[in-house]
Structure formats: C-alpha cells, structure tokens
Amino acid sequence: MTKGNINVSVENIFPLIKKFLYSDHEIFLRELISNATDATLKLKHLTNVGDAKVEYGNPQIEVKIDKDGKKLHISDQGLGMTADEVEKYINQVAFSGAEEFLDKYKDSAKDSGIIGHFGLGFYSAFMVADKVEIITKSFKDEPAAHWACDGSPEFTLEASDKTERGTEIILHIAEDSTEFLEESRIHELLNKYNKFMPIPIKFGTKEVNDPTHEPKTTKDKDGKETTEPHRQITVDNIINNPNPAWTKQPADLKDEDYSGFYRELYPMQFEEPLFNIHLNVDYPFNLTGILYFPKMSNDMQMQKDKIQLYQNQVFVTDNVEGIVPEFLTMLRGVIDSPDIPLNVSRSYLQADGAVKKISSYITRKVADKLKSLFNNNREDFEAKWNDIKIVIEYGMLSEEKFFEKADAFALYPTVDGKYYTYEELYNKIKAKQTDKDDKLIILYASDKDAQHSYIESAKSKDYEVLLLDSPIVSHLIQKLESTKENISFARVDGDHINNLIKKDDNTISKLDEDQTKALDELLKEVIPSEKFTVQLEAMDSNESPFTITQPEFMRRMKEMQATGGGGMNMFGNMPEMFNLVVNTNSELVGEILGTKTKKKQERLINQSLDLARLSQGLLKGEELTNFIKRSYEMIK
C-alpha cells in the first residue's frame, strides 16, 4: 500500500473547496457522472480506432445509494485507470492549479464557477463527503487500484481485487449532506443534470410488463370473460435518454419526434408549440439544438428561462442570458455546445468571442426560419401571428440584424383581419394616406372596441387602419419612424381624422370671427382647462360636433415609459390631457350659440362633452351617474 500527500502546498484546499463552492454543492453529482461519461466515450473512441483491444459492449453508468452505510456509489464501465494513472490524474494534475485557485478565486469563487477550470470536477465530491474512495480497473491488462482520501492532503493507494473494467467512486456522505442519501433527491438531480447524457444511467430497478407474455382470456360457464393480469418483470431503471432529438439530423426527424421531445423537455406543458427551429452547425463553432416557439402571452417576463443549455448533453443552466439573444429567451428548447464551458460567470460570457458568434448565429438562423415559414405557408403564418408577434417585435427593437431581416416576414394586421408586410402596406396606402406635405401617414388602433367610432371615421374615407396592440408597440413605432423614410404613425384617436391626414381642404366655417370668439369663450368657461384643450375646426356639417382625442406624442411617451423607455419618467408623471375638437359647422354648435339662456347653453355643452367622453370610455363613477340622470330628464 502507498501512502502519501496530494501534490498541494496549501493544506487548507479542502475546506476552501467546501466553503467557496457550497452554494453549488449539488453539482458534485453532475461532475462525477460527467467524468464517468467521459471515460466511457473515450473507451468507445479507442475501440473504434483499434487502439483498445477490448470489447466496448453496452456500457452504462450506475448510481446506488447505501443509506445504512451512508454511502453513495457512482460506477462506470469506461476506460478505468492504472495505479500510475490515479497517481497522475487524481493526485497531481487535478491539483496542479491549486495555488492558482487560491490566488484567483479565494474572493470570488461563487461567482466564477471554478469547478472544471483545472480538473477540480472530481474534488467537488468533498463538498458533500468527508471521505472519498476510487476503485478502478484499467482496460489495459494491469492490476486494479484502490485510492482513498479523507479530505486532508493525505491519501492511500493500494491494489484492489476488482476484476471488471471501469471505475467506482464511493462517497462517504458527511453529516451536513445526508439529503444526498435520499432517493428522491438523487432522482431530482439526475433528472435535472443528466436527463440527456449520452451513456445510459441506471438508478435502481422498476417493474414493467413482460413483453414476451400475452395475457390469456378465459370464459366461465356463463360466458363471462376474465383476462389474467400482465406478468411483471424487473428491469434496470434507466433514467436518461442517451439519444435526444437534438443530437440527430433534421432529415431523420418527423413532426411527431419534435413534439414528443417537447413533451419530454416540459412534461407539465400541455399546449403544443407553434413550430420549431433545428440548429445544427459545426463551423466556426459547434452548436446543436432545437428551439420551440410557444404560444406567447403579452406578459414578457413570465416566459423567460425556459431554454436549457447543455455542454455535450450535460445540463449547465436554464439562464441563457448572454448566449441567446435577449428577445429569444422567451422561446423554449435546448442549445448544446462544447464551446461553452460548464461553469461560466456572467462577465466571462459577455466577453467571450465564441459566445458572441453563437448569439448572432442563432439570431440569423431564427430569422431565416421565420422567412421560410412565411414563404412556404403564408396562411398558416398569419394564423399564428398573434401568438408569436411579441418575440418578433422585441427582436426588431433589440437586434439590428434581425430588424433588417424582419422586413421579409414581419406582419402588420388591419382591424379587418388582413395582413400586410411593410412593403405591401406601403404600396396599398401611399395613394390615399399621403398628406399635403407628402408624408405617408400610417393609421393604427390599439383596441377595436374602444376606438370603434374613430376607426369608422377613417374607413369612411377609405383609409386602412392597422391593429397594433402589443405592449411594446410604441417603441416599435418609434423605431420604424426613425428608419423608414418619410412616414409617420398616428393612432386613430390621436386627433380628428381630417387632422391626422391633412389634405388641401378649404372647408369654410359657417361662423364669422365674432361668433367664433364668442363660442371659444363660452366653451372655455364650461369645459375644465386642466383636462381639455379646445380646438375649433371648420369641418363637414355631418361630422361629429364634439370629438375627444389624445395627442399622439404625449400618449406614446407615457406608454413607452410604462414599458421601460428609460429617461421618460417626466411623461409618466404628467396628468392625462385630451384635445376637444369642436366642429364649428355642426348644427348642434350653431344651436348652442343661438340659445338665449346661459344655463341651457351650459347644459348643452356638458351633455355634448359627456357624449364625447362616453365614446372614449372616459365617463365613469359619479359623472356617469349624473349624465344618465340628466339624459332621462332631457327625454322627459
């Protein structure tokens, strides 16, 4: 038997591992199973190239709990190690960076994710164990070895009577980590980190129906049928899927394979995804994965952190910010890349060149897929638009390259259920919706019911009205106005339709200058100036007498501020202000001016104002009650 000290000059390395990595202590199992997988895949490679004169067979990894002995076993049937290799890889290489570890990570280990930086993966076992053993037999024809260490720099290394190839790690679980002797806890961790590992992982056994046994059905004397129960057999409980869909070629997968894998990823998600994007690239970096577009709600925060990041089928994180462009963090699915380290800090990710390339590749791939879906089946794409628009609009706002590509598939729906691309919309409306200053005015509504009367006014002039109702539409409009040439968006209730698209209209007012001044003074006496700005307009006599509008700029700034338009707080705190457009040519306005008593004039003005407010949904509470009461009195 050999005794010795691990090649480390600082004796407090183990307490440091335990202390600094404690917040991540559950990842010890991921690390040990990753090592076991590595050893198995290396053996497969050696047998494939003829360097290992052994049969590869059908190796698996096994995890066993010995609750009475307070031990956890992780076994593999991989390469194994000789005594010399244990000495080299466990006692020397794994600790060759110990000094560097102490210098570099003593103050920031939790943030930096140090495991995996220089072979510390195996030593993560000491976060949960106060003694660790390795029993290993190499695929080479050499004796097996048994290594043991109690968490101090001292170790023992002796021969073992193990006869089968592979490595068994035995963890003597510490008193403060007995949760890892619970079957439910280990099952949870295996399901979280190792669900798609490339080597089968056995965890206990399970009872299943015997596939070779066909239950017999017999009839009694009364003709009643009885079927015997299925015969049960005990089989290994393999907890992972070693060949998940993303590791296969897209040509080998059908629609049902993609939807089956979605259910595997999200067993509690009952709604089918709308479509998927299969990522598969090997240059200039390696990346595979499948992204799914789920049905989107308008609550952007609720959707995040559903994409799972893997490294060679080992789960790393579901916080993919910095790897996946932010607008795509609302999608679901898997991304797997060996070019992303198992443990990464946020600052490392943001600075890493490979990660930036991956992010822009995913953006391009998603844009290309959306374009092909649109081109191949426009009708289906239009039907799904409302469920995916929030992602596309967010992408147009946040990623310049995506914005450029989105012209090919971003849709602008109308209140009548028609869908246009930007180019189609432009060509459709330019003849009628260009104002006297040669600017194209794109009209839109955000609520078909609330803005119904304004929409109808626009349609009466044969104008097209878009329905733009996502929470970030104000930001998107601002972006489009600053990038497209000579256009302006106007919400239909932003002003009277004649003012939204100003033509060379020379409608003459029926009122002379004195009458106009008298009307203006009368209206300002009755209408509260803190809520309304009065505008007198000469329009067709059939147009509404009183119309309430909200200035586009102020309303848009308030909306942008409400959905994260930084630096716009001043708009969010301002009171709601409205314009009251009064048609000087309407019969009612003439009647108000011609009424002899001040009281009746005030009543007509208030009634007209309240009708206009009612059409905008602005009449509520006591004011609505008074309006109804007053209306009944007028009927009488």
Side-chain angles (χ1 to χ4, degrees):
M1 181 171 81
T2 306
K3 287 188 176 182
N5 275 16
I6 290 165
N7 184 20
V8 51
S9 59
V10 183
E11 293 203 0
N12 62 351
I13 188 82
F14 288 102
L16 276 169
I17 288 172
K18 194 148 192 162
K19 180 181 174 188
F20 283 119
L21 297 180
Y22 196 72
S23 65
D24 269 337
H25 62 317
E26 67 177 39
I27 65 166
F28 80 92
L29 191 59
R30 179 189 82 181
E31 295 296 321
L32 296 179
I33 288 178
S34 293
N35 287 351
T37 302
D38 224 22
T40 312
L41 292 175
K42 279 175 182 165
L43 179 71
K44 184 179 187 179
H45 176 71
L46 290 179
T47 54
N48 285 345
V49 298
D51 280 7
K53 306 290 186 272
V54 292
E55 287 292 318
Y56 178 67
N58 295 301
Q60 62 182 29
I61 295 164
E62 183 173 10
V63 179
K64 274 193 305 195
I65 296 170
D66 171 6
K67 203 163 184 178
D68 295 335
K70 294 188 176 176
K71 289 185 282 192
L72 184 67
H73 299 249
I74 295 109
S75 315
D76 68 61
Q77 296 159 4
L79 278 176
M81 289 182 282
T82 63
D84 286 347
E85 286 168 340
V86 171
E87 170 64 36
K88 180 181 176 184
Y89 294 117
I90 301 298
N91 295 340
Q92 292 172 24
V93 174
F95 269 76
S96 62
E99 298 286 356
E100 180 193 353
F101 161 63
L102 286 174
D103 291 344
K104 231 178 170 181
Y105 298 112
K106 194 154 75 172
D107 298 326
S108 61
K110 279 185 187 176
D111 299 327
S112 302
I114 59 150
I115 286 192
H117 269 271
F118 48 85
L120 268 179
F122 164 72
Y123 280 95
S124 64
F126 286 98
M127 291 192 290
V128 299
D130 46 27
K131 180 183 177 184
V132 178
E133 298 177 71
I134 303 171
I135 302 169
T136 183
K137 170 90 168 77
S138 172
F139 73 98
K140 300 167 188 169
D141 188 19
E142 290 198 33
H146 181 183
W147 177 94
C149 178
D150 63 1
S152 70
E154 293 174 5
F155 69 89
T156 61
L157 180 58
E158 58 188 331
S160 162
D161 56 7
K162 179 176 170 66
T163 55
E164 291 180 347
R165 178 195 75 216
T167 300
E168 179 177 17
I169 310 281
I170 304 167
L171 279 66
H172 297 257
I173 299 297
E175 282 303 319
D176 61 1
S177 298
T178 52
E179 64 184 281
F180 299 111
L181 294 169
E182 299 298 330
E183 192 173 318
S184 59
R185 182 72 169 117
I186 296 300
H187 190 275
E188 176 202 344
L189 293 183
L190 291 172
N191 201 45
K192 178 177 177 180
Y193 291 112
N194 308 105
K195 192 174 180 178
F196 300 111
M197 294 290 276
I199 306 298
I201 299 167
K202 176 187 173 186
F203 184 51
T205 57
K206 61 182 178 183
E207 299 289 314
V208 296
N209 293 336
D210 183 350
T212 64
H213 172 242
E214 191 63 47
K216 288 178 185 166
T217 301
T218 55
K219 288 184 181 180
D220 61 17
K221 62 181 190 304
D222 299 324
K224 189 180 177 186
E225 289 189 350
T226 307
T227 304
E228 66 177 336
H230 273 280
R231 186 194 300 153
Q232 298 278 292
I233 55 169
T234 303
V235 296
D236 288 351
N237 181 32
I238 303 298
I239 59 93
N240 61 321
N241 172 3
N243 302 298
W246 84 81
T247 62
K248 300 170 184 173
Q249 289 300 314
D252 299 334
L253 296 168
K254 297 185 174 74
D255 287 347
E256 53 265 34
D257 297 318
Y258 286 112
S259 56
F261 181 55
Y262 185 76
R263 283 191 292 276
E264 207 176 331
L265 281 173
Y266 310 105
M268 302 310 290
Q269 187 65 41
F270 303 113
E271 237 180 355
E272 286 288 315
L274 299 165
F275 50 81
N276 64 74
I277 296 170
H278 198 131
L279 306 166
N280 196 344
V281 65
D282 52 19
Y283 181 82
F285 46 79
N286 283 296
L287 178 80
T288 52
I290 300 171
L291 295 178
Y292 293 91
F293 269 74
K295 280 194 170 184
M296 292 289 165
S297 75
N298 275 350
D299 186 352
M300 289 153 66
Q301 289 308 312
M302 289 294 290
Q303 312 282 36
K304 289 193 175 184
D305 294 339
K306 298 287 186 185
I307 294 175
Q308 299 173 12
L309 178 68
Y310 287 77
Q311 187 223 58
N312 290 327
Q313 294 176 239
V314 183
F315 176 78
V316 179
T317 181
D318 55 11
N319 180 357
V320 293
E321 214 176 317
I323 300 161
V324 173
E326 194 186 351
F327 78 101
L328 293 178
T329 58
M330 293 181 277
L331 302 188
R332 294 186 178 150
V334 164
I335 288 168
D336 189 333
S337 175
D339 295 331
I340 294 172
L342 262 183
N343 286 273
V344 285
S345 67
R346 188 62 55 231
S347 58
Y348 174 89
L349 269 182
Q350 284 161 354
D352 187 70
V355 168
K356 283 178 182 164
K357 283 180 191 153
I358 287 170
S359 177
S360 74
Y361 166 78
I362 293 170
T363 299
R364 192 176 78 246
K365 188 76 177 174
V366 168
D368 291 346
K369 175 71 173 185
L370 290 166
K371 183 179 176 181
S372 82
L373 286 165
F374 174 74
N375 290 340
N376 294 341
N377 190 342
R378 176 164 179 163
E379 196 179 331
D380 183 58
F381 194 83
E382 287 179 359
K384 289 171 176 169
W385 177 255
N386 272 337
D387 294 314
I388 61 172
K389 66 184 177 191
I390 194 86
V391 177
I392 293 172
E393 289 172 356
Y394 190 19
M396 290 168 74
L397 276 173
S398 57
E399 296 280 332
E400 205 52 50
K401 283 184 177 154
F402 187 81
F403 179 81
E404 289 161 17
K405 283 179 169 278
D407 258 358
F409 54 78
L411 292 177
Y412 299 87
T414 72
V415 289
D416 299 319
K418 289 180 280 190
Y419 291 84
Y420 297 111
T421 63
Y422 181 80
E423 189 181 357
E424 290 166 350
L425 177 70
Y426 183 88
N427 291 331
K428 168 82 177 165
I429 67 174
K430 67 179 176 184
K432 286 189 176 154
Q433 291 179 218
T434 302
D435 69 9
K436 63 185 177 64
D437 300 320
D438 215 28
K439 180 173 267 197
L440 182 71
I441 309 299
I442 300 171
L443 300 174
Y444 72 100
S446 58
D447 185 323
K448 274 204 295 190
D449 292 334
Q451 293 150 9
H452 183 266
S453 63
Y454 300 92
I455 293 168
E456 289 304 304
S457 293
K459 284 164 81 172
S460 72
K461 294 183 178 289
D462 210 16
Y463 294 159
E464 204 72 69
V465 180
L466 301 182
L467 179 62
L468 304 178
D469 57 1
S470 78
I472 53 174
V473 80
S474 299
H475 297 274
L476 183 62
I477 283 169
Q478 205 82 350
K479 171 92 175 166
L480 289 163
E481 286 176 340
S482 64
T483 51
K484 305 289 185 189
E485 213 171 302
N486 209 21
I487 65 152
S488 183
F489 280 78
R491 204 167 84 176
V492 283
D493 58 347
D495 205 332
H496 192 279
I497 191 64
N498 293 352
N499 293 334
L500 290 177
I501 305 180
K502 286 194 169 173
K503 302 286 187 180
D504 290 318
D505 185 16
N506 300 316
T507 308
I508 297 165
S509 178
K510 290 179 180 177
L511 306 183
D512 62 27
E513 202 175 319
D514 290 342
Q515 287 172 311
T516 304
K517 190 179 176 188
L519 177 65
D520 190 46
E521 287 171 359
L522 179 58
L523 291 168
K524 284 176 179 170
E525 279 175 31
V526 181
I527 290 162
S529 60
E530 70 277 7
K531 287 184 183 174
F532 297 98
T533 303
V534 176
Q535 282 176 226
L536 301 183
E537 300 271 353
M539 294 183 282
D540 190 287
S541 58
N542 294 324
E543 302 267 13
S544 294
F546 281 36
T547 308
I548 291 173
T549 64
Q550 192 171 17
E552 174 80 14
F553 175 77
M554 287 299 299
R555 179 191 48 71
R556 201 189 290 183
M557 289 302 121
K558 284 171 80 76
E559 283 174 3
M560 286 171 72
Q561 193 268 327
T563 52
M568 296 180 189
N569 214 30
M570 57 180 184
F571 296 108
N573 297 330
M574 289 184 77
E576 291 277 14
M577 276 296 289
F578 297 91
N579 292 332
L580 177 67
V581 181
V582 177
N583 180 5
T584 60
N585 287 342
S586 80
E587 204 176 315
L588 178 63
V589 169
E591 194 180 321
I592 291 169
L593 260 183
T595 299
K596 300 291 181 230
T597 67
K598 195 92 167 170
K599 195 172 180 184
K600 192 178 177 189
Q601 277 182 325
E602 283 179 10
R603 198 171 71 201
L604 282 171
I605 292 168
N606 281 323
Q607 191 72 0
S608 304
L609 175 64
D610 283 352
L611 279 166
R613 291 168 81 196
L614 191 66
S615 77
Q616 266 281 48
L618 296 172
L619 203 58
K620 291 172 184 148
E622 187 181 352
E623 290 177 325
L624 179 59
T625 306
N626 292 340
F627 168 74
I628 293 166
K629 190 176 173 186
R630 190 170 68 239
S631 299
Y632 278 129
E633 284 169 4
M634 288 173 81
I635 293 168
K636 281 189 277 182

